[in-house]
């Protein structure tokens, strides 16, 4: 599958069925937010702070990069 945004929160976000936001935004409960818009390389910047990610074995595809 494809991943466009990835968020880790300090609290539960959903308790039932939900429709995800089209673009995730950081808030006070966001511990990590990767928008994955870099389009190349082996790292992704954390939009919520300084918890940047190293990507291992990932492939960038045009359908998601920079959305």
């Amino acid at each position: 599958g494809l991943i466009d945004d990835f968020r880790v929160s300090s609290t539960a976000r959903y308790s039932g069925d939900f429709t995800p936001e089209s673009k995730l935004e950081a808030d006070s409960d966001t511990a990590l937010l990767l928008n994955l818009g870099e389009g190349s390389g082996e790292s992704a910047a954390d939009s919520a702070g300084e918890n940047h990610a190293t990507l291992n074995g990932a492939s960038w595809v045009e359908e998601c990069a920079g959305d």
Side-chain angles (χ1 to χ4, degrees), residues 15-29:
S15 61
D17 292 342
F18 68 97
T19 300
E21 303 166 46
S22 60
K23 192 69 173 171
L24 299 177
E25 298 289 336
D27 60 23
S28 62
D29 293 319

Side-chain angles (χ1 to χ4, degrees), residues 20-59:
E21 303 166 46
S22 60
K23 192 69 173 171
L24 299 177
E25 298 289 336
D27 60 23
S28 62
D29 293 319
T30 304
L32 172 74
L33 177 59
L34 304 176
N35 291 124
L36 302 173
E38 286 84 352
S40 65
E42 295 181 355
S43 63
D46 177 9
S47 298
E50 297 184 24
N51 299 307
H52 307 302
T54 299
L55 308 174
N56 294 306
S59 297

